[in-house]
């Protein structure tokens, strides 16, 4: 989201800082940090996914054993993570 906003490809009605503040304040959501373990998982995933952001998202879900909610066909078809779509 931050990259898309910076590139002008996504416009928000509120600031990006406000978006992140609201995400962190929501008790139903948890913002997970990028850790060494996740970075290592990104490196070990092979070349199935090329987009660095997709790789980080999938690696985070794998490390934390989470199902990923996505409509991204590349992620779904990769079968690298359990998805809900």
């Amino acid at each position: 989201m931050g990259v898309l906003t910076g590139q002008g490809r996504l416009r928000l009605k509120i600031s990006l800082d406000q978006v992140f503040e609201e995400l962190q304040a929501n008790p139903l959501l948890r913002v997970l940090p990028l850790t060494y373990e996740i970075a290592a998982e990104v490196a070990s995933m092979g070349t199935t996914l090329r987009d660095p952001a997709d790789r980080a998202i999938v690696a985070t879900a794998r490390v934390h054993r989470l199902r990923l909610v996505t409509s991204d066909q590349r992620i779904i078809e990769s079968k690298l993570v359990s998805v809900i779509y």
Side-chain angles (χ1 to χ4, degrees):
M1 183 168 38
V3 172
L4 294 177
T5 303
Q7 293 174 343
R9 294 173 47 196
L10 176 67
R11 289 206 260 199
L12 303 173
K13 292 183 180 185
I14 60 176
S15 75
L16 197 54
D17 286 338
Q18 288 172 304
V19 170
F20 288 124
E21 285 174 18
E22 287 189 28
L23 288 173
Q24 289 181 325
N26 187 327
L28 298 176
L29 300 173
R30 188 168 53 143
V31 177
L32 299 171
L34 183 61
T35 62
Y36 173 79
E37 187 178 12
I38 293 169
E41 185 68 20
V42 167
S44 73
M45 285 182 1
T47 59
T48 304
L49 296 173
R50 294 182 304 182
D51 184 289
D54 289 348
R55 293 171 64 85
I57 292 166
V58 169
T60 301
R62 287 169 55 122
V63 166
H64 291 279
R65 293 186 170 90
L66 301 170
R67 292 178 71 192
L68 186 60
V69 178
T70 185
S71 62
D72 187 309
Q73 277 307 122
R74 284 179 236 142
I75 293 174
I76 294 166
E77 291 170 4
S78 76
K79 299 195 186 304
L80 290 169
V81 67
S82 177
V83 296
I84 300 170
Y85 56 96

